[in-house]
């Protein structure tokens, strides 16, 4: 499962900038899935300093990435990009496992996991 998460070069550069701003250059980027959102599941991204039991470790474009064992099957093959526009920039997530998502684009469900849908 080396391609659980695919981080584009643009996304990696943005993560490096964020790590520098937060003085966490030695941290891991933790990518996860949790229950919630309009469609039942939502993405989580943050910095972690320790590897937890069951984590899959990846490294792409100089970024060390952690994915927990429960999130790995749901994220398998997911591409994380960073897009810049006139309105600012933001991360975009393309998950081939998502069969439905909400209008905001941050909540989804898969064929095997519906999560815990909430009101928008």
């Amino acid at each position: 499962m080396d391609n659980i998460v695919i981080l584009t070069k643009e996304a990696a550069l943005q993560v490096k900038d964020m790590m520098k701003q937060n003085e966490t250059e030695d941290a891991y980027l933790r990518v996860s899935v949790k229950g919630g959102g309009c469609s039942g599941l939502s993405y989580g991204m943050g910095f972690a300093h320790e590897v937890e039991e069951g984590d899959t470790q990846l490294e792409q474009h100089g970024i060390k990435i952690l994915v927990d064992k429960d999130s790995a099957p749901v994220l398998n093959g997911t591409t994380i990009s960073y897009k810049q526009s006139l309105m600012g920039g933001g991360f975009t997530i393309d998950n081939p496992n998502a069969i439905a998502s909400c209008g905001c684009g941050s909540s989804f469900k898969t064929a095997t996991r519906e999560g815990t849908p909430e009101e928008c």
Side-chain angles (χ1 to χ4, degrees):
M1 274 198 176
D2 288 346
N3 292 330
I4 296 171
V5 173
I6 301 152
L7 195 65
T8 66
K9 185 177 179 182
E10 295 78 18
L13 289 171
Q14 185 63 28
V15 170
K16 285 179 186 176
D17 284 349
M18 293 169 73
M19 286 177 156
K20 187 177 271 190
Q21 289 172 8
N22 291 302
E23 298 179 1
T24 56
E25 283 115 325
D26 60 339
Y28 296 88
L29 173 66
R30 179 172 291 285
V31 182
S32 62
V33 172
K34 59 185 189 284
C38 314
S39 295
L41 297 170
S42 59
Y43 300 106
M45 282 185 12
F47 299 127
H49 295 282
E50 295 183 20
V51 178
E52 296 178 12
E53 188 177 332
D55 281 346
T56 297
Q57 298 182 57
L58 310 166
E59 186 163 339
Q60 296 173 12
H61 305 289
I63 302 293
K64 298 178 288 184
I65 304 166
L66 297 175
V67 180
D68 67 81
K69 65 182 179 192
D70 292 331
S71 297
V74 178
L75 290 171
N76 194 31
T78 295
T79 300
I80 301 173
S81 305
Y82 187 83
K83 306 276 191 226
Q84 191 70 40
S85 71
L86 293 174
M87 300 297 288
F91 290 98
T92 60
I93 299 174
D94 180 22
N95 185 341
N97 306 301
I99 61 168
S101 61
C102 67
C104 64
S106 63
S107 177
F108 68 103
K109 69 179 177 181
T110 67
T112 57
R113 285 189 53 192
E114 290 193 9
T116 52
E118 301 169 347
E119 291 292 322
C120 285

